[in-house]
Amino acid sequence: MKVVITESRRDKLAKQELDKEFSNMYEDVNYITDGIGEQKRIEYRNGDDIIMLYGDRASALYICEDVVKPIIFFGYTPPEVKRLIGEWFSDKFELPVKIIHHVDKDRLN
């Protein structure tokens, strides 16, 4: 059986899945000072592992495969996944996202 839903409804359902999957996530905030100045680095953990990392200087979000898994069945392309996760992250944590990088989980931990 095939179900047809609008793109906006699909996005809403995917964001609900992200909310449900990562409702127990917690964040560690660190401040790093280098030659350019101070930067806030926020590590988002779901259990013991870091699954997302946000840097406020470039408004960059680094995600691993664990973040993508809950919404894979919605059939998004890689650019659509990045767009959706960026929107969800901005809405949920009220932080601007300009750049999203998909990296191996080992690089985040």
Side-chain angles (χ1 to χ4, degrees):
M1 183 166 139
K2 205 177 218 186
V3 177
V4 179
I5 60 173
T6 63
E7 187 175 320
S8 62
R9 178 72 176 145
R10 178 177 76 155
D11 287 354
K12 183 177 179 181
L13 290 171
K15 288 176 183 178
Q16 287 174 349
E17 275 300 306
L18 291 170
D19 281 338
K20 184 172 67 174
E21 184 70 25
F22 302 117
S23 62
N24 293 329
M25 187 170 54
Y26 63 96
E27 57 189 61
D28 290 330
V29 179
N30 300 302
Y31 292 92
I32 301 167
T33 304
D34 59 14
I36 300 174
E38 187 173 79
Q39 172 178 298
K40 182 168 39 173
R41 175 183 156 148
I42 307 172
E43 298 171 347
Y44 293 90
R45 297 175 182 272
N46 198 21
D48 292 333
D49 296 325
I50 299 170
I51 59 167
M52 291 188 288
L53 177 68
Y54 179 79
D56 73 336
R57 183 178 299 147
S59 299
L61 179 65
Y62 298 86
I63 61 172
C64 71
E65 194 61 34
D66 290 0
V67 179
V68 178
K69 282 181 186 176
I71 60 171
I72 204 129
F73 65 90
F74 285 103
Y76 286 105
T77 64
E80 289 174 328
V81 166
K82 287 182 177 182
R83 175 196 54 83
L84 179 85
I85 291 173
E87 289 174 5
W88 169 78
F89 183 87
S90 290
D91 293 344
K92 183 163 184 75
F93 299 104
E94 298 178 354
L95 294 168
V97 176
K98 294 180 184 172
I99 303 166
I100 300 176
H101 294 289
H102 190 233
V103 298
D104 290 332
K105 191 174 190 174
D106 296 338
R107 297 209 49 190
L108 294 176
N109 288 296

